[in-house]
PDB file of all heavy atoms in Angstrom:
ATOM      1  N   ILE A  50      94.686 106.530 -75.151  1.00 97.00           N
ATOM      2  CA  ILE A  50      94.814 107.737 -75.994  1.00 97.00           C
ATOM      3  C   ILE A  50      95.961 107.500 -76.944  1.00 97.00           C
ATOM      4  O   ILE A  50      97.116 107.310 -76.487  1.00 97.00           O
ATOM      5  CB  ILE A  50      95.051 108.979 -75.177  1.00 97.00           C
ATOM      6  CG1 ILE A  50      93.871 109.204 -74.226  1.00 97.00           C
ATOM      7  CG2 ILE A  50      95.187 110.177 -76.067  1.00 97.00           C
ATOM      8  CD1 ILE A  50      94.108 110.283 -73.189  1.00 97.00           C
ATOM      9  N   ARG A  51      95.732 107.547 -78.247  1.00 97.00           N
ATOM     10  CA  ARG A  51      96.810 107.571 -79.194  1.00 97.00           C
ATOM     11  C   ARG A  51      97.421 108.976 -79.240  1.00 97.00           C
ATOM     12  O   ARG A  51      96.685 109.944 -79.041  1.00 97.00           O
ATOM     13  CB  ARG A  51      96.343 107.180 -80.566  1.00 97.00           C
ATOM     14  CG  ARG A  51      97.477 107.154 -81.611  1.00 97.00           C
ATOM     15  CD  ARG A  51      96.972 107.095 -83.029  1.00 97.00           C
ATOM     16  NE  ARG A  51      98.072 107.290 -83.986  1.00 97.00           N
ATOM     17  CZ  ARG A  51      97.948 107.550 -85.233  1.00 97.00           C
ATOM     18  NH1 ARG A  51      96.730 107.648 -85.743  1.00 97.00           N
ATOM     19  NH2 ARG A  51      98.973 107.685 -86.017  1.00 97.00           N
ATOM     20  N   HIS A  52      98.726 109.064 -79.366  1.00 98.00           N
ATOM     21  CA  HIS A  52      99.390 110.350 -79.408  1.00 98.00           C
ATOM     22  C   HIS A  52      98.821 111.254 -80.502  1.00 98.00           C
ATOM     23  O   HIS A  52      98.280 110.771 -81.508  1.00 98.00           O
ATOM     24  CB  HIS A  52     100.904 110.185 -79.628  1.00 98.00           C
ATOM     25  CG  HIS A  52     101.203 109.627 -80.998  1.00 98.00           C
ATOM     26  ND1 HIS A  52     101.298 110.379 -82.121  1.00 98.00           N
ATOM     27  CD2 HIS A  52     101.531 108.342 -81.351  1.00 98.00           C
ATOM     28  CE1 HIS A  52     101.545 109.583 -83.147  1.00 98.00           C
ATOM     29  NE2 HIS A  52     101.720 108.373 -82.704  1.00 98.00           N
ATOM     30  N   ALA A  53      98.986 112.508 -80.372  1.00 98.00           N
ATOM     31  CA  ALA A  53      98.481 113.493 -81.356  1.00 98.00           C
ATOM     32  C   ALA A  53      99.448 113.506 -82.585  1.00 98.00           C
ATOM     33  O   ALA A  53     100.412 112.783 -82.615  1.00 98.00           O
ATOM     34  CB  ALA A  53      98.458 114.908 -80.756  1.00 98.00           C
ATOM     35  N   ASP A  84     112.402 109.498 -83.163  1.00 97.00           N
ATOM     36  CA  ASP A  84     111.675 109.882 -81.991  1.00 97.00           C
ATOM     37  C   ASP A  84     110.859 111.166 -82.230  1.00 97.00           C
ATOM     38  O   ASP A  84     110.980 112.173 -81.508  1.00 97.00           O
ATOM     39  CB  ASP A  84     112.559 110.076 -80.774  1.00 97.00           C
ATOM     40  CG  ASP A  84     111.794 110.071 -79.466  1.00 97.00           C
ATOM     41  OD1 ASP A  84     110.578 109.824 -79.470  1.00 97.00           O
ATOM     42  OD2 ASP A  84     112.454 110.306 -78.378  1.00 97.00           O
ATOM     43  N   SER A  85     110.056 111.119 -83.252  1.00 97.00           N
ATOM     44  CA  SER A  85     109.392 112.327 -83.808  1.00 97.00           C
ATOM     45  C   SER A  85     108.559 113.089 -82.772  1.00 97.00           C
ATOM     46  O   SER A  85     107.965 112.506 -81.833  1.00 97.00           O
ATOM     47  CB  SER A  85     108.504 111.904 -84.985  1.00 97.00           C
ATOM     48  OG  SER A  85     107.913 113.011 -85.564  1.00 97.00           O
ATOM     49  N   ARG A  86     108.556 114.396 -82.913  1.00 97.00           N
ATOM     50  CA  ARG A  86     107.762 115.310 -82.031  1.00 97.00           C
ATOM     51  C   ARG A  86     106.406 115.620 -82.621  1.00 97.00           C
ATOM     52  O   ARG A  86     106.068 115.305 -83.769  1.00 97.00           O
ATOM     53  CB  ARG A  86     108.519 116.604 -81.846  1.00 97.00           C
ATOM     54  CG  ARG A  86     109.821 116.436 -81.012  1.00 97.00           C
ATOM     55  CD  ARG A  86     110.518 117.747 -80.838  1.00 97.00           C
ATOM     56  NE  ARG A  86     111.689 117.610 -79.957  1.00 97.00           N
ATOM     57  CZ  ARG A  86     111.638 117.660 -78.622  1.00 97.00           C
ATOM     58  NH1 ARG A  86     110.480 117.884 -78.056  1.00 97.00           N
ATOM     59  NH2 ARG A  86     112.705 117.534 -77.911  1.00 97.00           N
ATOM     60  N   LEU A  87     105.597 116.328 -81.815  1.00 98.00           N
ATOM     61  CA  LEU A  87     104.257 116.748 -82.271  1.00 98.00           C
ATOM     62  C   LEU A  87     104.382 117.974 -83.111  1.00 98.00           C
ATOM     63  O   LEU A  87     105.249 118.874 -82.926  1.00 98.00           O
ATOM     64  CB  LEU A  87     103.361 117.135 -81.055  1.00 98.00           C
ATOM     65  CG  LEU A  87     102.979 116.004 -80.095  1.00 98.00           C
ATOM     66  CD1 LEU A  87     101.979 116.536 -79.062  1.00 98.00           C
ATOM     67  CD2 LEU A  87     102.466 114.765 -80.792  1.00 98.00           C
ATOM     68  N   SER A  95      95.716 117.881 -78.808  1.00 97.00           N
ATOM     69  CA  SER A  95      95.874 117.561 -77.411  1.00 97.00           C
ATOM     70  C   SER A  95      95.116 118.515 -76.561  1.00 97.00           C
ATOM     71  O   SER A  95      94.422 118.108 -75.574  1.00 97.00           O
ATOM     72  CB  SER A  95      97.362 117.600 -77.010  1.00 97.00           C
ATOM     73  OG  SER A  95      98.098 116.669 -77.824  1.00 97.00           O
ATOM     74  N   VAL A 118      98.226 108.421 -65.016  1.00 97.00           N
ATOM     75  CA  VAL A 118      98.452 108.467 -66.453  1.00 97.00           C
ATOM     76  C   VAL A 118      99.723 107.703 -66.752  1.00 97.00           C
ATOM     77  O   VAL A 118     100.774 108.021 -66.224  1.00 97.00           O
ATOM     78  CB  VAL A 118      98.616 109.955 -66.942  1.00 97.00           C
ATOM     79  CG1 VAL A 118      98.911 109.965 -68.463  1.00 97.00           C
ATOM     80  CG2 VAL A 118      97.343 110.741 -66.663  1.00 97.00           C
ATOM     81  N   VAL A 119      99.567 106.655 -67.566  1.00 98.00           N
ATOM     82  CA  VAL A 119     100.732 105.817 -67.990  1.00 98.00           C
ATOM     83  C   VAL A 119     101.179 106.289 -69.381  1.00 98.00           C
ATOM     84  O   VAL A 119     100.287 106.443 -70.252  1.00 98.00           O
ATOM     85  CB  VAL A 119     100.361 104.333 -67.977  1.00 98.00           C
ATOM     86  CG1 VAL A 119     101.562 103.514 -68.285  1.00 98.00           C
ATOM     87  CG2 VAL A 119      99.778 103.904 -66.654  1.00 98.00           C
ATOM     88  N   VAL A 120     102.421 106.522 -69.569  1.00 98.00           N
ATOM     89  CA  VAL A 120     102.874 107.150 -70.799  1.00 98.00           C
ATOM     90  C   VAL A 120     104.007 106.313 -71.412  1.00 98.00           C
ATOM     91  O   VAL A 120     104.926 105.840 -70.738  1.00 98.00           O
ATOM     92  CB  VAL A 120     103.395 108.524 -70.502  1.00 98.00           C
ATOM     93  CG1 VAL A 120     103.718 109.288 -71.811  1.00 98.00           C
ATOM     94  CG2 VAL A 120     102.435 109.325 -69.648  1.00 98.00           C
ATOM     95  N   SER A 121     103.940 106.109 -72.716  1.00 98.00           N
ATOM     96  CA  SER A 121     105.034 105.527 -73.498  1.00 98.00           C
ATOM     97  C   SER A 121     106.217 106.494 -73.372  1.00 98.00           C
ATOM     98  O   SER A 121     106.040 107.752 -73.312  1.00 98.00           O
ATOM     99  CB  SER A 121     104.634 105.415 -74.977  1.00 98.00           C
ATOM    100  OG  SER A 121     105.711 105.409 -75.825  1.00 98.00           O
ATOM    101  N   PRO A 122     107.432 105.993 -73.415  1.00 98.00           N
ATOM    102  CA  PRO A 122     108.614 106.885 -73.221  1.00 98.00           C
ATOM    103  C   PRO A 122     109.016 107.652 -74.486  1.00 98.00           C
ATOM    104  O   PRO A 122     110.004 108.424 -74.423  1.00 98.00           O
ATOM    105  CB  PRO A 122     109.750 105.916 -72.841  1.00 98.00           C
ATOM    106  CG  PRO A 122     109.378 104.628 -73.466  1.00 98.00           C
ATOM    107  CD  PRO A 122     107.862 104.576 -73.385  1.00 98.00           C
ATOM    108  N   LEU A 123     108.299 107.508 -75.602  1.00 98.00           N
ATOM    109  CA  LEU A 123     108.639 108.276 -76.802  1.00 98.00           C
ATOM    110  C   LEU A 123     108.251 109.736 -76.604  1.00 98.00           C
ATOM    111  O   LEU A 123     107.328 110.060 -75.926  1.00 98.00           O
ATOM    112  CB  LEU A 123     108.021 107.651 -77.998  1.00 98.00           C
ATOM    113  CG  LEU A 123     108.838 106.506 -78.641  1.00 98.00           C
ATOM    114  CD1 LEU A 123     108.933 105.293 -77.764  1.00 98.00           C
ATOM    115  CD2 LEU A 123     108.228 106.099 -80.006  1.00 98.00           C
ATOM    116  N   THR A 124     108.922 110.616 -77.313  1.00 98.00           N
ATOM    117  CA  THR A 124     108.730 112.054 -77.119  1.00 98.00           C
ATOM    118  C   THR A 124     107.334 112.534 -77.450  1.00 98.00           C
ATOM    119  O   THR A 124     106.690 113.280 -76.732  1.00 98.00           O
ATOM    120  CB  THR A 124     109.764 112.867 -77.944  1.00 98.00           C
ATOM    121  OG1 THR A 124     111.090 112.515 -77.547  1.00 98.00           O
ATOM    122  CG2 THR A 124     109.547 114.381 -77.789  1.00 98.00           C
ATOM    123  N   ARG A 125     106.718 111.981 -78.489  1.00 98.00           N
ATOM    124  CA  ARG A 125     105.417 112.422 -78.951  1.00 98.00           C
ATOM    125  C   ARG A 125     104.347 112.024 -77.938  1.00 98.00           C
ATOM    126  O   ARG A 125     103.351 112.764 -77.787  1.00 98.00           O
ATOM    127  CB  ARG A 125     105.091 111.910 -80.319  1.00 98.00           C
ATOM    128  CG  ARG A 125     105.115 110.352 -80.528  1.00 98.00           C
ATOM    129  CD  ARG A 125     104.934 110.013 -81.978  1.00 98.00           C
ATOM    130  NE  ARG A 125     104.909 108.642 -82.307  1.00 98.00           N
ATOM    131  CZ  ARG A 125     106.028 107.935 -82.602  1.00 98.00           C
ATOM    132  NH1 ARG A 125     107.203 108.491 -82.544  1.00 98.00           N
ATOM    133  NH2 ARG A 125     105.950 106.677 -82.917  1.00 98.00           N
ATOM    134  N   THR A 126     104.505 110.940 -77.222  1.00 98.00           N
ATOM    135  CA  THR A 126     103.498 110.550 -76.193  1.00 98.00           C
ATOM    136  C   THR A 126     103.711 111.362 -74.975  1.00 98.00           C
ATOM    137  O   THR A 126     102.715 111.769 -74.297  1.00 98.00           O
ATOM    138  CB  THR A 126     103.604 109.043 -75.854  1.00 98.00           C
ATOM    139  OG1 THR A 126     104.959 108.643 -75.829  1.00 98.00           O
ATOM    140  CG2 THR A 126     102.892 108.237 -76.938  1.00 98.00           C
ATOM    141  N   CYS A 127     104.943 111.666 -74.584  1.00 98.00           N
ATOM    142  CA  CYS A 127     105.182 112.561 -73.432  1.00 98.00           C
ATOM    143  C   CYS A 127     104.608 113.961 -73.703  1.00 98.00           C
ATOM    144  O   CYS A 127     103.964 114.535 -72.799  1.00 98.00           O
ATOM    145  CB  CYS A 127     106.667 112.629 -73.164  1.00 98.00           C
ATOM    146  SG  CYS A 127     107.416 111.096 -72.554  1.00 98.00           S
ATOM    147  N   GLU A 128     104.792 114.407 -74.940  1.00 98.00           N
ATOM    148  CA  GLU A 128     104.226 115.760 -75.246  1.00 98.00           C
ATOM    149  C   GLU A 128     102.712 115.756 -75.222  1.00 98.00           C
ATOM    150  O   GLU A 128     102.097 116.650 -74.718  1.00 98.00           O
ATOM    151  CB  GLU A 128     104.730 116.206 -76.633  1.00 98.00           C
ATOM    152  CG  GLU A 128     106.201 116.540 -76.721  1.00 98.00           C
ATOM    153  CD  GLU A 128     106.568 117.031 -78.122  1.00 98.00           C
ATOM    154  OE1 GLU A 128     106.263 116.271 -79.102  1.00 98.00           O
ATOM    155  OE2 GLU A 128     107.201 118.031 -78.254  1.00 98.00           O
ATOM    156  N   THR A 129     102.165 114.692 -75.801  1.00 98.00           N
ATOM    157  CA  THR A 129     100.698 114.539 -75.745  1.00 98.00           C
ATOM    158  C   THR A 129     100.140 114.569 -74.366  1.00 98.00           C
ATOM    159  O   THR A 129      99.146 115.274 -74.014  1.00 98.00           O
ATOM    160  CB  THR A 129     100.244 113.284 -76.499  1.00 98.00           C
ATOM    161  OG1 THR A 129     100.688 113.301 -77.872  1.00 98.00           O
ATOM    162  CG2 THR A 129      98.737 113.130 -76.473  1.00 98.00           C
ATOM    163  N   ALA A 130     100.718 113.748 -73.461  1.00 98.00           N
ATOM    164  CA  ALA A 130     100.259 113.701 -72.096  1.00 98.00           C
ATOM    165  C   ALA A 130     100.317 115.032 -71.442  1.00 98.00           C
ATOM    166  O   ALA A 130      99.380 115.451 -70.760  1.00 98.00           O
ATOM    167  CB  ALA A 130     101.102 112.635 -71.348  1.00 98.00           C
ATOM    168  N   LEU A 131     101.415 115.765 -71.667  1.00 97.00           N
ATOM    169  CA  LEU A 131     101.573 117.065 -71.012  1.00 97.00           C
ATOM    170  C   LEU A 131     100.538 118.060 -71.465  1.00 97.00           C
ATOM    171  O   LEU A 131      99.966 118.836 -70.674  1.00 97.00           O
ATOM    172  CB  LEU A 131     102.976 117.589 -71.310  1.00 97.00           C
ATOM    173  CG  LEU A 131     103.445 118.829 -70.482  1.00 97.00           C
ATOM    174  CD1 LEU A 131     103.444 118.483 -68.989  1.00 97.00           C
ATOM    175  CD2 LEU A 131     104.806 119.261 -70.978  1.00 97.00           C
ATOM    176  N   HIS A 132     100.223 118.063 -72.790  1.00 97.00           N
ATOM    177  CA  HIS A 132      99.221 119.023 -73.297  1.00 97.00           C
ATOM    178  C   HIS A 132      97.763 118.579 -72.969  1.00 97.00           C
ATOM    179  O   HIS A 132      96.930 119.461 -72.856  1.00 97.00           O
ATOM    180  CB  HIS A 132      99.383 119.188 -74.810  1.00 97.00           C
ATOM    181  CG  HIS A 132     100.618 119.969 -75.174  1.00 97.00           C
ATOM    182  ND1 HIS A 132     100.779 121.323 -74.937  1.00 97.00           N
ATOM    183  CD2 HIS A 132     101.807 119.590 -75.766  1.00 97.00           C
ATOM    184  CE1 HIS A 132     101.934 121.721 -75.368  1.00 97.00           C
ATOM    185  NE2 HIS A 132     102.596 120.681 -75.867  1.00 97.00           N
ATOM    186  N   VAL A 133      97.529 117.268 -72.823  1.00 97.00           N
ATOM    187  CA  VAL A 133      96.207 116.798 -72.491  1.00 97.00           C
ATOM    188  C   VAL A 133      95.912 117.000 -71.023  1.00 97.00           C
ATOM    189  O   VAL A 133      94.807 117.521 -70.613  1.00 97.00           O
ATOM    190  CB  VAL A 133      96.025 115.342 -72.888  1.00 97.00           C
ATOM    191  CG1 VAL A 133      94.677 114.819 -72.297  1.00 97.00           C
ATOM    192  CG2 VAL A 133      96.029 115.177 -74.381  1.00 97.00           C
ATOM    193  N   PHE A 134      96.830 116.644 -70.157  1.00 95.00           N
ATOM    194  CA  PHE A 134      96.557 116.637 -68.713  1.00 95.00           C
ATOM    195  C   PHE A 134      97.238 117.752 -67.902  1.00 95.00           C
ATOM    196  O   PHE A 134      96.928 117.890 -66.713  1.00 95.00           O
ATOM    197  CB  PHE A 134      97.018 115.275 -68.141  1.00 95.00           C
ATOM    198  CG  PHE A 134      96.349 114.099 -68.783  1.00 95.00           C
ATOM    199  CD1 PHE A 134      96.975 113.351 -69.717  1.00 95.00           C
ATOM    200  CD2 PHE A 134      95.031 113.776 -68.406  1.00 95.00           C
ATOM    201  CE1 PHE A 134      96.377 112.206 -70.327  1.00 95.00           C
ATOM    202  CE2 PHE A 134      94.370 112.710 -68.960  1.00 95.00           C
ATOM    203  CZ  PHE A 134      95.057 111.927 -69.927  1.00 95.00           C
ATOM    204  N   PHE A 169     102.200 110.928 -63.643  1.00 97.00           N
ATOM    205  CA  PHE A 169     102.581 110.427 -64.947  1.00 97.00           C
ATOM    206  C   PHE A 169     103.603 109.345 -64.793  1.00 97.00           C
ATOM    207  O   PHE A 169     104.817 109.678 -64.400  1.00 97.00           O
ATOM    208  CB  PHE A 169     103.130 111.544 -65.836  1.00 97.00           C
ATOM    209  CG  PHE A 169     102.110 112.561 -66.300  1.00 97.00           C
ATOM    210  CD1 PHE A 169     100.794 112.578 -65.793  1.00 97.00           C
ATOM    211  CD2 PHE A 169     102.441 113.535 -67.246  1.00 97.00           C
ATOM    212  CE1 PHE A 169      99.880 113.485 -66.183  1.00 97.00           C
ATOM    213  CE2 PHE A 169     101.501 114.467 -67.631  1.00 97.00           C
ATOM    214  CZ  PHE A 169     100.267 114.476 -67.145  1.00 97.00           C
ATOM    215  N   VAL A 171     105.919 106.527 -66.536  1.00 98.00           N
ATOM    216  CA  VAL A 171     106.430 106.167 -67.878  1.00 98.00           C
ATOM    217  C   VAL A 171     106.794 104.666 -67.864  1.00 98.00           C
ATOM    218  O   VAL A 171     107.508 104.142 -66.995  1.00 98.00           O
ATOM    219  CB  VAL A 171     107.705 106.966 -68.263  1.00 98.00           C
ATOM    220  CG1 VAL A 171     108.162 106.592 -69.660  1.00 98.00           C
ATOM    221  CG2 VAL A 171     107.358 108.489 -68.183  1.00 98.00           C
ATOM    222  N   ARG A 172     106.235 103.893 -68.856  1.00 97.00           N
ATOM    223  CA  ARG A 172     106.431 102.499 -68.970  1.00 97.00           C
ATOM    224  C   ARG A 172     106.850 102.101 -70.392  1.00 97.00           C
ATOM    225  O   ARG A 172     106.198 102.482 -71.352  1.00 97.00           O
ATOM    226  CB  ARG A 172     105.194 101.690 -68.578  1.00 97.00           C
ATOM    227  CG  ARG A 172     104.790 101.832 -67.137  1.00 97.00           C
ATOM    228  CD  ARG A 172     105.693 101.022 -66.174  1.00 97.00           C
ATOM    229  NE  ARG A 172     105.676  99.660 -66.449  1.00 97.00           N
ATOM    230  CZ  ARG A 172     106.162  98.739 -65.624  1.00 97.00           C
ATOM    231  NH1 ARG A 172     106.702  99.106 -64.496  1.00 97.00           N
ATOM    232  NH2 ARG A 172     106.153  97.407 -65.914  1.00 97.00           N
ATOM    233  N   CYS A 175     104.251 100.016 -73.133  1.00 97.00           N
ATOM    234  CA  CYS A 175     103.251 100.531 -73.992  1.00 97.00           C
ATOM    235  C   CYS A 175     103.795 101.440 -75.105  1.00 97.00           C
ATOM    236  O   CYS A 175     103.064 102.227 -75.697  1.00 97.00           O
ATOM    237  CB  CYS A 175     102.199 101.332 -73.215  1.00 97.00           C
ATOM    238  SG  CYS A 175     102.782 102.770 -72.323  1.00 97.00           S
ATOM    239  N   ARG A 176     105.099 101.344 -75.391  1.00 96.00           N
ATOM    240  CA  ARG A 176     105.670 102.071 -76.498  1.00 96.00           C
ATOM    241  C   ARG A 176     105.229 101.492 -77.822  1.00 96.00           C
ATOM    242  O   ARG A 176     104.670 100.405 -77.906  1.00 96.00           O
ATOM    243  CB  ARG A 176     107.205 102.100 -76.372  1.00 96.00           C
ATOM    244  CG  ARG A 176     107.865 100.706 -76.561  1.00 96.00           C
ATOM    245  CD  ARG A 176     109.366 100.761 -76.523  1.00 96.00           C
ATOM    246  NE  ARG A 176     109.962 101.391 -77.706  1.00 96.00           N
ATOM    247  CZ  ARG A 176     111.252 101.631 -77.835  1.00 96.00           C
ATOM    248  NH1 ARG A 176     112.093 101.387 -76.824  1.00 96.00           N
ATOM    249  NH2 ARG A 176     111.698 102.239 -78.934  1.00 96.00           N
ATOM    250  N   GLU A 177     105.520 102.217 -78.875  1.00 97.00           N
ATOM    251  CA  GLU A 177     105.135 101.722 -80.224  1.00 97.00           C
ATOM    252  C   GLU A 177     105.940 100.459 -80.628  1.00 97.00           C
ATOM    253  O   GLU A 177     107.004 100.182 -80.070  1.00 97.00           O
ATOM    254  CB  GLU A 177     105.361 102.815 -81.277  1.00 97.00           C
ATOM    255  CG  GLU A 177     104.932 102.509 -82.670  1.00 97.00           C
ATOM    256  CD  GLU A 177     103.455 102.117 -82.870  1.00 97.00           C
ATOM    257  OE1 GLU A 177     103.069 101.143 -82.188  1.00 97.00           O
ATOM    258  OE2 GLU A 177     102.781 102.772 -83.588  1.00 97.00           O
ATOM    259  N   PHE A 197     111.130 116.525 -69.478  1.00 97.00           N
ATOM    260  CA  PHE A 197     109.813 116.269 -68.787  1.00 97.00           C
ATOM    261  C   PHE A 197     110.060 115.989 -67.330  1.00 97.00           C
ATOM    262  O   PHE A 197     109.928 114.852 -66.836  1.00 97.00           O
ATOM    263  CB  PHE A 197     109.086 115.133 -69.489  1.00 97.00           C
ATOM    264  CG  PHE A 197     108.784 115.372 -70.917  1.00 97.00           C
ATOM    265  CD1 PHE A 197     109.623 114.803 -71.904  1.00 97.00           C
ATOM    266  CD2 PHE A 197     107.738 116.139 -71.360  1.00 97.00           C
ATOM    267  CE1 PHE A 197     109.403 115.024 -73.269  1.00 97.00           C
ATOM    268  CE2 PHE A 197     107.483 116.381 -72.737  1.00 97.00           C
ATOM    269  CZ  PHE A 197     108.298 115.812 -73.641  1.00 97.00           C
ATOM    270  N   PHE A 200     107.574 114.002 -64.826  1.00 97.00           N
ATOM    271  CA  PHE A 200     107.223 112.587 -65.140  1.00 97.00           C
ATOM    272  C   PHE A 200     108.018 111.607 -64.213  1.00 97.00           C
ATOM    273  O   PHE A 200     109.119 111.903 -63.837  1.00 97.00           O
ATOM    274  CB  PHE A 200     107.521 112.251 -66.590  1.00 97.00           C
ATOM    275  CG  PHE A 200     106.600 112.949 -67.586  1.00 97.00           C
ATOM    276  CD1 PHE A 200     106.292 114.259 -67.505  1.00 97.00           C
ATOM    277  CD2 PHE A 200     106.100 112.225 -68.679  1.00 97.00           C
ATOM    278  CE1 PHE A 200     105.499 114.880 -68.402  1.00 97.00           C
ATOM    279  CE2 PHE A 200     105.288 112.825 -69.588  1.00 97.00           C
ATOM    280  CZ  PHE A 200     104.963 114.168 -69.501  1.00 97.00           C
ATOM    281  N   VAL A 244      96.124 105.860 -70.608  1.00 98.00           N
ATOM    282  CA  VAL A 244      97.323 105.315 -71.179  1.00 98.00           C
ATOM    283  C   VAL A 244      97.594 106.050 -72.504  1.00 98.00           C
ATOM    284  O   VAL A 244      96.734 106.010 -73.370  1.00 98.00           O
ATOM    285  CB  VAL A 244      97.194 103.774 -71.463  1.00 98.00           C
ATOM    286  CG1 VAL A 244      98.483 103.286 -72.147  1.00 98.00           C
ATOM    287  CG2 VAL A 244      96.924 103.005 -70.218  1.00 98.00           C
ATOM    288  N   VAL A 245      98.689 106.786 -72.600  1.00 98.00           N
ATOM    289  CA  VAL A 245      99.015 107.530 -73.810  1.00 98.00           C
ATOM    290  C   VAL A 245     100.014 106.677 -74.540  1.00 98.00           C
ATOM    291  O   VAL A 245     101.158 106.526 -74.120  1.00 98.00           O
ATOM    292  CB  VAL A 245      99.604 108.940 -73.448  1.00 98.00           C
ATOM    293  CG1 VAL A 245      99.768 109.735 -74.729  1.00 98.00           C
ATOM    294  CG2 VAL A 245      98.680 109.664 -72.482  1.00 98.00           C
ATOM    295  N   THR A 246      99.623 106.183 -75.746  1.00 98.00           N
ATOM    296  CA  THR A 246     100.388 105.251 -76.474  1.00 98.00           C
ATOM    297  C   THR A 246     100.297 105.480 -77.964  1.00 98.00           C
ATOM    298  O   THR A 246     100.169 106.559 -78.411  1.00 98.00           O
ATOM    299  CB  THR A 246      99.897 103.832 -76.003  1.00 98.00           C
ATOM    300  OG1 THR A 246     100.713 102.817 -76.658  1.00 98.00           O
ATOM    301  CG2 THR A 246      98.419 103.611 -76.287  1.00 98.00           C
ATOM    302  N   HIS A 247     100.319 104.356 -78.760  1.00 97.00           N
ATOM    303  CA  HIS A 247     100.569 104.448 -80.194  1.00 97.00           C
ATOM    304  C   HIS A 247      99.540 103.539 -80.934  1.00 97.00           C
ATOM    305  O   HIS A 247      99.029 102.584 -80.388  1.00 97.00           O
ATOM    306  CB  HIS A 247     101.969 104.010 -80.563  1.00 97.00           C
ATOM    307  CG  HIS A 247     102.993 104.758 -79.790  1.00 97.00           C
ATOM    308  ND1 HIS A 247     103.665 105.855 -80.283  1.00 97.00           N
ATOM    309  CD2 HIS A 247     103.516 104.579 -78.512  1.00 97.00           C
ATOM    310  CE1 HIS A 247     104.498 106.327 -79.393  1.00 97.00           C
ATOM    311  NE2 HIS A 247     104.463 105.533 -78.327  1.00 97.00           N
ATOM    312  N   SER A 248      99.422 103.796 -82.247  1.00 95.00           N
ATOM    313  CA  SER A 248      98.355 103.099 -83.064  1.00 95.00           C
ATOM    314  C   SER A 248      98.679 101.651 -83.227  1.00 95.00           C
ATOM    315  O   SER A 248      97.805 100.763 -83.092  1.00 95.00           O
ATOM    316  CB  SER A 248      98.196 103.797 -84.372  1.00 95.00           C
ATOM    317  OG  SER A 248      99.425 103.737 -85.166  1.00 95.00           O
ATOM    318  N   MET A 320     101.769 105.825 -87.160  1.00 62.00           N
ATOM    319  CA  MET A 320     102.217 105.434 -85.792  1.00 62.00           C
ATOM    320  C   MET A 320     102.080 106.523 -84.790  1.00 62.00           C
ATOM    321  O   MET A 320     102.226 107.736 -85.140  1.00 62.00           O
ATOM    322  CB  MET A 320     103.653 104.954 -85.876  1.00 62.00           C
ATOM    323  CG  MET A 320     103.774 103.637 -86.681  1.00 62.00           C
ATOM    324  SD  MET A 320     105.438 103.206 -87.003  1.00 62.00           S
ATOM    325  CE  MET A 320     105.860 104.293 -88.315  1.00 62.00           C
TER     326      MET A 320
END
Side-chain angles (χ1 to χ4, degrees):
I50 300 170
R51 183 195 171 192
H52 66 80
D84 195 7
S85 185
R86 292 180 175 274
L87 297 187
S95 303
V118 177
V119 184
V120 190
S121 154
L123 275 65
T124 299
R125 59 187 179 271
T126 41
C127 292
E128 289 182 311
T129 300
L131 192 60
H132 288 291
V133 171
F134 300 103
F169 289 7
V171 181
R172 293 288 298 193
C175 63
R176 66 179 288 174
E177 182 58 300
F197 301 97
F200 290 43
V244 178
V245 187
T246 182
H247 307 262
S248 63
M320 293 170 284

